[in-house]
């Protein structure tokens, strides 16, 4: 880094704990504020400061890292932009597309940067997949399938409340809907379903599942499947992408590396660890930190965060009505002026 970043870390839960070592590793000055009483312990553990209030945390900060429940993101981000700070906001940017777009527009008008924490884009398997798709190695892609399975996040009651988290579709499946859009471009229709325990409170052995079929403007069809299972459920993610030149498959449990088939004839329990080289959270924050200091735009933008929220909202609407929902991502670009550097980097 060319200069020391002064980071206000808002929140002291699991995600804050994953971000904090990355900031420290970059030499940032960090102070933590949280309303849940956990900030003091986290600050002491990592040898950083605790802020007494949100105002105190924002005072002098160059970056605000928002690691709080989803419905608090908008207000904290707007306060950060008013304080002339850049923002990293954990996914999803907001629960509604309206709030997410307001955050992106506020960043633009304040001349600040807003990046969503779409960390899956930084996992090596998905980086490899992105290169294979965009380089043409797979040829013309026809269909893709993404799955993500983990235990039901009963450790915090707000996850089970769709009014606070958006449920499994927004809190978990948004990751893979974002990946699908990153790979194959804008989505024109979404058809989704969800089943299981979808309301708060959720018992320890609650189960929920969701499925969304995305039709991209490019013609590719993506299917996204999410599962929240009982406490013994192992975290697992998979993908299978089929193109005219071959297929690319990955299973995080069954296959430690990617498997390529060439040719066409012949509590923390929800985040994986180990075997990645650099921690993907550290890779993400290092890329964001460089951009905050005037370096290249990262691989995910505020508009990507808005689009992901719109996709999740459309999937929830489809699941509620049983009908496909049409989308127009171009409306996001038209609604939010930006420089070419802020465009989605597919």
């Amino acid at each position: 880094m060319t200069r020391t970043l002064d980071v206000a870390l808002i929140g002291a839960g699991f995600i804050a704990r994953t971000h904090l070592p990355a900031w420290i590793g970059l030499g940032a000055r960090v102070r933590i504020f949280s309303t849940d009483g956990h900030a003091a312990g986290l600050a002491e553990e990592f040898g950083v400061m605790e802020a007494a209030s949100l105002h105190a945390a924002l005072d002098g900060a160059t970056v605000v890292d928002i690691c709080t429940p989803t419905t608090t993101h908008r207000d904290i981000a707007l306060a950060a932009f008013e304080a002339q700070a850049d923002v990293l906001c954990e996914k999803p940017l907001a629960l509604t597309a309206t709030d997410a777009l307001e955050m992106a527009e506020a960043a633009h008008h304040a001349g600040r940067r807003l990046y969503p924490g779409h960390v899956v884009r930084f996992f090596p398997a998905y980086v490899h997949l992105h290169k294979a798709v965009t380089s043409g190695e797979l040829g013309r892609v026809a269909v893709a399938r993404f799955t993500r399975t983990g235990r039901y996040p009963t450790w915090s009651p707000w996850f089970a409340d769709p009014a606070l988290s958006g449920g499994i579709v927004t809190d978990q499946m948004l990751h893979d809907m974002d990946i699908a859009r990153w790979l194959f471009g804008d989505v024109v229709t979404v058809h989704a379903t969800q089943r299981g325990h979808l309301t708060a409170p959720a018992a320890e052995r609650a189960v929920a599942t969701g499925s969304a079929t995305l039709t991209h403007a490019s013609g590719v069809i993506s299917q996204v499947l999410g599962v929240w299972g009982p406490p013994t459920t192992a975290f697992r993610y998979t993908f299978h992408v089929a193109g005219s030149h071959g297929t690319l498959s990955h299973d995080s449990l069954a296959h430690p590396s990617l498997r390529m088939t060439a040719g066409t004839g012949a509590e923390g329990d929800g985040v994986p660890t180990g075997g990645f080289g650099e921690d993907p959270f550290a890779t993400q924050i290092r890329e964001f930190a460089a951009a905050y200091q005037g370096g290249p735009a990262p691989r995910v933008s505020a508009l990507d965060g808005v689009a992901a929220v719109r996709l999740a909202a459309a999937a929830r609407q489809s699941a509620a009505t049983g009908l496909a929902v049409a989308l127009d991502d171009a409306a996001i670009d038209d609604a939010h002026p930006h420089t070419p550097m802020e465009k989605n980097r597919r």
Side-chain angles (χ1 to χ4, degrees):
M1 297 195 305
T2 58
R3 61 183 175 86
T4 300
L5 291 174
D6 197 319
V7 177
L9 181 61
I10 313 302
F14 174 75
I15 289 297
R17 179 176 288 274
T18 66
H19 286 197
L20 186 51
W23 289 119
I24 293 172
L26 290 172
R29 289 189 297 263
V30 182
R31 53 186 174 274
I32 305 173
F33 172 72
S34 177
T35 59
D36 62 7
H38 296 154
L42 194 60
E44 182 178 3
E45 178 182 348
F46 285 90
V48 299
M49 295 176 56
E50 179 192 9
S53 65
L54 178 62
H55 176 77
L58 298 182
D59 186 23
T62 55
V63 175
V64 176
D65 185 352
I66 303 173
C67 298
T68 55
T70 303
T71 53
T72 67
H73 290 178
R74 172 191 169 275
D75 289 349
I76 296 171
L78 296 185
F81 298 137
E82 187 174 345
Q84 286 299 296
D86 295 316
V87 169
L88 160 57
C89 182
E90 253 308 313
K91 67 83 200 165
L93 277 184
L95 194 60
T96 70
T98 298
D99 283 353
L101 185 59
E102 182 181 1
M103 292 164 66
E105 290 176 334
H108 173 74
H109 292 308
R112 310 316 305 173
R113 296 173 177 86
L114 167 65
Y115 299 129
H118 288 193
V119 73
V120 173
R121 292 195 185 199
F122 297 82
F123 277 82
Y126 295 93
V127 173
H128 185 99
L129 174 60
H130 185 262
K131 290 178 180 177
V133 170
T134 57
S135 70
E137 181 181 359
L138 295 178
R140 183 172 181 177
V141 174
V143 65
R145 177 179 172 85
F146 304 90
T147 75
R148 190 163 302 269
T149 302
R151 65 164 293 183
Y152 205 118
T154 53
W155 56 84
S156 291
W158 68 272
F159 285 109
D161 188 342
L164 299 178
S165 71
I168 189 171
V169 173
T170 296
D171 192 76
Q172 190 227 51
M173 291 170 57
L174 177 140
H175 275 306
D176 291 301
M177 289 189 281
D178 172 65
I179 290 294
R181 180 177 171 273
W182 187 40
L183 295 169
F184 310 123
D186 292 341
V187 175
V188 293
T189 62
V190 179
H191 189 271
T193 61
Q194 54 181 345
R195 296 288 187 273
H197 192 99
L198 305 173
T199 59
E204 188 65 11
R205 296 189 61 80
V207 173
T209 184
S211 177
T213 299
L214 316 179
T215 302
H216 300 264
S218 62
V220 177
I221 304 296
S222 298
Q223 184 180 27
V224 174
L225 174 68
V227 176
W228 278 346
T232 56
T233 303
F235 184 85
R236 179 189 183 197
Y237 55 90
T238 76
F239 58 72
H240 182 86
V241 179
S244 57
H245 295 170
T247 64
L248 187 58
S249 299
H250 181 64
D251 184 324
S252 64
L253 288 185
H255 304 289
S257 59
L258 293 172
R259 185 177 78 254
M260 180 73 180
T261 304
T264 58
E267 171 200 74
D269 293 339
V271 177
T273 58
F276 303 120
E278 184 180 47
D279 170 24
F281 288 96
T283 305
Q284 172 186 248
I285 286 176
R286 178 167 46 80
E287 195 167 297
F288 289 168
Y292 291 141
Q293 296 183 312
R299 70 195 71 177
V300 60
S301 71
L303 298 187
D304 294 325
V306 175
V309 172
R310 292 184 74 239
L311 273 174
R316 294 199 311 272
Q317 179 184 343
S318 176
T321 63
L323 303 174
V325 175
L327 285 167
D328 179 11
D329 271 4
I332 298 175
D333 289 344
D334 293 341
H336 177 59
H338 47 69
T339 67
M341 290 290 286
E342 291 177 307
K343 293 282 282 184
N344 180 33
R345 302 178 67 197
R346 294 194 188 97

